[in-house]
Amino acid sequence: MEGSRKPTTEPPSTALAYQDPHYWNERFSKEEHYEWFKDYSHFRHLIQAHIPSTSSVLELGCGNSQLCEEMYRDGITEVTCIDLSAVAVEKMQKRLEAKGYKEIKVLEADMLDLPFNDECFDVVIEKGTMDVLFVNSGDPWNPRPETVAQVKAMLEGVHRVLKPDGIFISISFGQPHFRRPLFDAPDFTWSVEWSTFGDGFHYFFYVLRKGKRSSSDEGSRGKNEIPSICLFQEELEGEDFIFRTNIDENC
């Protein structure tokens, strides 16, 4: 699967293209498969630890990733995928049908305006999708108001569609000191914890448990003390370097 880390299309000339639906439609029309932030084998143990096979799962921004297929093969069959790109949705539907994964639903939808009823999923998961909202965020310590508004809209939708004891899993390049202020907003009832995977501390696996926040949860916790991180482009795979804007500017 590691070969799928290499995009079959050239990266855009500017990171802003990642927020343009036309860019994604054109890319997905040419590209069959690409994995952002490592493939499933690197974090499978974390998925298995947090998602029971009986869970109803919503994947945000499925693109052409094989995440839903990998979960399906691990027995997590009640999966709904959404993507803003009609091209990605059509190609994913055909791919899943060809493989016989008919239980997986794929819908065209905007993660900032989720078209689902309240409290209808056990798990919501995204891998690199939220990071796209930060490509034009400016100072990572003080993101632009437009970026904050979009991220909050996404998180509010996720919180709304999760069942009372549901969990949100965010697989991200964003470090905890940048993500926590958004995850810990007072409107949310979830607790926040994280693990890391990959070479060193490149990627973060956040687990937000709805209804589990307590007064003692001031300052979310991770399983490891997060050191100062300085990553150079050549240390990262594929296009992941685009999201190194969240790395300490002093690197």
Side-chain angles (χ1 to χ4, degrees):
M1 283 190 60
E2 288 299 331
S4 65
R5 293 285 305 144
K6 298 179 181 180
T8 56
T9 56
E10 288 295 321
S13 57
T14 170
L16 290 177
Y18 289 118
Q19 294 185 338
D20 181 359
H22 298 292
Y23 165 78
W24 290 110
N25 280 333
E26 182 178 356
R27 175 170 177 162
F28 290 137
S29 68
K30 303 173 183 177
E31 183 181 76
E32 295 302 317
H33 174 216
Y34 181 71
E35 293 293 342
W36 296 87
F37 301 173
K38 300 287 189 179
D39 65 50
Y40 187 75
S41 65
H42 290 86
F43 54 86
R44 181 188 182 199
H45 61 293
L46 297 170
I47 293 290
Q48 293 177 325
H50 292 98
I51 306 182
S53 60
T54 56
S55 300
S56 57
V57 179
L58 171 65
E59 180 188 356
L60 306 179
C62 61
N64 55 20
S65 167
Q66 292 182 349
L67 176 58
C68 65
E69 299 170 50
E70 298 285 5
M71 290 193 294
Y72 185 93
R73 284 193 283 268
D74 270 346
I76 304 167
T77 59
E78 191 178 344
V79 180
T80 300
C81 304
I82 67 166
D83 201 281
L84 194 60
S85 168
V87 175
V89 168
E90 182 180 4
K91 292 184 74 172
M92 180 68 81
Q93 288 171 336
K94 291 180 179 179
R95 191 169 89 188
L96 294 173
E97 183 178 359
K99 293 183 177 183
Y101 301 162
K102 297 181 179 179
E103 294 93 334
I104 301 177
K105 301 174 183 177
V106 189
L107 308 172
E108 182 181 348
D110 187 347
M111 68 178 180
L112 303 184
D113 187 20
L114 295 176
F116 304 106
N117 294 328
D118 295 353
E119 301 181 353
C120 59
F121 292 102
D122 296 303
V123 178
V124 177
I125 186 169
E126 64 89 16
K127 182 162 78 85
T129 308
M130 185 170 70
D131 286 50
V132 171
L133 299 178
F134 288 91
V135 296
N136 190 35
S137 63
D139 179 3
W141 295 101
N142 186 28
R144 291 188 174 96
E146 297 84 355
T147 298
V148 173
Q150 285 189 315
V151 174
K152 284 188 174 180
M154 172 190 170
L155 294 176
E156 286 168 359
V158 169
H159 195 273
R160 178 183 64 79
V161 302
L162 279 175
K163 293 180 181 179
D165 58 350
I167 68 171
F168 172 43
I169 294 175
S170 175
I171 301 172
S172 173
F173 197 47
Q175 295 170 273
H177 45 270
F178 297 133
R179 292 293 185 263
R180 277 169 47 179
L182 296 160
F183 290 155
D184 288 341
D187 291 341
F188 305 134
T189 67
W190 46 42
S191 60
V192 183
E193 60 187 74
W194 62 86
S195 300
T196 57
F197 67 91
D199 302 322
F201 293 95
H202 287 180
Y203 304 96
F204 296 89
F205 188 99
Y206 293 97
V207 178
L208 285 64
R209 301 180 185 277
K210 187 175 179 179
K212 301 299 183 182
R213 189 171 186 170
S214 69
S215 57
S216 62
D217 283 338
E218 288 294 328
S220 311
R221 61 191 181 279
K223 291 187 177 179
N224 299 293
E225 192 70 24
I226 305 300
S228 177
I229 300 175
C230 184
L231 299 178
F232 297 95
Q233 177 171 333
E234 59 268 22
E235 296 180 73
L236 304 177
E237 298 183 20
E239 293 172 75
D240 292 351
F241 72 89
I242 290 294
F243 301 107
R244 74 184 294 270
T245 52
N246 282 347
I247 297 300
D248 194 326
E249 292 296 317
N250 293 322
C251 289

